[in-house]
Amino acid sequence: MKLIIDKEKHLVIKNNEEFSLPKKEFMILDLLCSVPGNVYSRKAIYDKVWRRKSKSNERTVDVHIFNLRKKFGSEVIRTIKGVGYKCTCE
């Protein structure tokens, strides 16, 4: 599956359908797809997207991942149990 992330227009294109995402969802997807297959922990995602050290807000990442999966399907973002998340897009 191929996702096109257009940072200038703040759009994601999947199968010729355009998606306008909230800022944090866009940033998470962009991070995960920046190195497809690379696994990011909740803490790493939180630290990079919110640009501050997490305390107990790492579950916030789960909510955003859930919303991204609703939009793009669970095949795009995979959970690596006990480790974190990775993107399977090209």
Side-chain angles (χ1 to χ4, degrees), residues 59-71:
R59 292 294 177 181
T60 301
V61 172
D62 294 345
V63 173
H64 290 285
I65 295 290
F66 176 80
N67 291 335
L68 287 167
R69 285 180 171 155
K70 283 190 343 189
K71 293 171 183 153

Side-chain angles (χ1 to χ4, degrees), residues 24-46:
K24 297 298 183 191
E25 286 181 23
F26 186 87
M27 291 172 74
I28 290 170
L29 188 64
D30 185 43
L31 173 66
L32 292 176
C33 290
S34 64
V35 183
N38 203 27
V39 180
Y40 294 89
S41 68
R42 284 185 189 101
K43 181 182 178 339
I45 295 169
Y46 189 88

Side-chain angles (χ1 to χ4, degrees), residues 65-83:
I65 295 290
F66 176 80
N67 291 335
L68 287 167
R69 285 180 171 155
K70 283 190 343 189
K71 293 171 183 153
F72 300 109
S74 60
E75 70 276 358
V76 173
I77 299 174
R78 298 275 183 200
T79 300
I80 308 303
K81 290 190 180 204
V83 181

